[in-house]
Amino acid sequence: MADDLCFFIKDMLIVRPPVKNSLVLRISLLAFVMVCGVFMCSIGLKQISNFTKAGFIDIKVVDKPCEVPNVEKWERPYVHFPNPTTFNRAECACNPVRYFVISSTQRSGSGWFETLLNSHMNVSSNGEIFSVKPRRTNMSTIVDTLDKIYNLDWLTSASKNECTAAVGLKWMLNQGLMQNHEAIVEYFKAKGVSMIFLFRRNLLRRRISILANAYDQSAKPLNGKHKSHVHSHDEAKILASYKPTINTTLLIPELKQADNMVKQALEYFNSTRHIILYYEDIIKNHTVLEDVQRFLRIPQMELKSRQVKIHKGPLREQVENWDDIKKVLNGTLYESFLHEDYKVS
Ligand SMILES: *[C@@H]1O[C@H](CO)[C@@H](O)[C@H](O)[C@H]1NC(C)=O
Ligand SMILES: *[C@@H]1O[C@H](CO)[C@@H](O)[C@H](O)[C@H]1NC(C)=O
Ligand SMILES: *[C@@H]1O[C@H](CO)[C@@H](O)[C@H](O)[C@H]1NC(C)=O
Ligand SMILES: *[C@@H]1O[C@H](CO)[C@@H](O)[C@H](O)[C@H]1NC(C)=O
Ligand SMILES: *[C@@H]1O[C@H](CO)[C@@H](O)[C@H](O)[C@H]1NC(C)=O
Ligand SMILES: *[C@@H]1O[C@H](CO)[C@@H](O)[C@H](O)[C@H]1NC(C)=O
């Protein structure tokens, strides 16, 4: 056949003018390259199919039930072996994973708390996933989102190279959690999800933080940037230098509303396995973080955050109209907020 081809080319060489000849030569060369390409491709495909076969065998191994760690019977539903679709857990496949939600309200230290949790090498907390509205449109978008997170297919900066032993997200009460509480409780029960509630004891301090943060959002004193959290003492000082004036007419109703929302949440999710934490307690005593790690059944580690607290002075120095506030709260259910204070070095 090679000879035929040669004759054919020779024929062309003789009959056709040189320019056309070179064209034909080029066409035949192209044809040859194409034939070779198809051949190489078919070898490649065979190898790929072998490769996927090997992958399939791997997955078979993973599918073999992992050994459930020695836990009490009630705890079994909380032990998971996710099988992500976006990557292979490989040597971590049989490392048990716990599912959690950090449930909180704005300006309660949950951002700081989440950085602490994420400093644990086996924890992935994926941030405020439901601050994006379309994800909380209805229960089916919520379930889709949660399924992806708990299957370890939600890839964010919180995803770890290490074996994940606890995966979760931060979910504010006003981000569809309260509205859909019944269906979400069912989901948590079916999926074996635990809740970490994080609240502030002193709701007056939270109120001040909300107002200061709202001010910062418009004034942006840090070089024109809005920062809800800071990493340096200088930045914290600048942000804390703004003193809001609290509307004393609205203060009591606002505190009551915040207080009730927390109570309502604890009632709604009472049947879900949970732990209740207070921001002030974590600041005062880091042993609370040991409780959290015990709750999540993860090995104890020292947890660290680079975030710096913004408001650390006494409360009276953080508002413009302290005397008015004192008058309004005196003798009420919330009077203790005036006195409960803490110092942070
Ligand atoms: C939920 O919202 C999504 C997105 O808007 C929509 O496509 C879907 O039909 C809705 N599902 C239900 C059950 O309402
Ligand atoms: C934590 O991650 C390390 C490194 O990947 C791994 O060896 C260890 O088993 C993990 N711990 C748990 C409890 O999964
Ligand atoms: C406080 O809020 C009330 C109700 O929104 C409003 O009528 C009042 O003017 C506010 N007071 C101040 C000092 O801004
Ligand atoms: C939660 O339920 C238990 C009993 O199931 C009850 O004793 C407790 O008071 C409830 N707590 C709240 C906050 O509703
Ligand atoms: C922190 O809390 C633990 C247990 O709750 C307690 O034993 C310890 O003394 C506390 N430490 C400080 C510095 O308050
Ligand atoms: C609270 O009110 C009582 C009397 O009603 C008064 O004696 C006390 O000084 C007030 N306290 C503050 C902190 O204003």
Side-chain angles (χ1 to χ4, degrees), residues 284-288 291:
K284 277 188 221 153
N285 192 335
H286 275 248
T287 62
V288 176
D291 299 340

Side-chain angles (χ1 to χ4, degrees), residues 79-126:
V79 178
H80 310 283
F81 301 101
N83 192 357
T85 57
T86 47
F87 69 102
N88 191 339
R89 287 192 78 208
E91 74 274 13
C92 303
C94 281
N95 269 57
V97 177
R98 317 280 166 150
Y99 300 161
F100 69 86
V101 159
I102 303 165
S103 185
S104 189
T105 56
Q106 279 79 10
R107 309 313 294 174
S108 298
S110 63
W112 169 68
F113 177 73
E114 196 180 36
T115 60
L116 284 169
L117 270 191
N118 271 325
S119 75
H120 193 294
M121 71 168 163
N122 301 112
V123 178
S124 291
S125 191
N126 292 281

Side-chain angles (χ1 to χ4, degrees), residues 326-327 330-331 335 338-339:
K326 249 186 355 193
K327 262 185 229 143
N330 193 8
E335 189 182 340
L338 296 169
H339 316 305

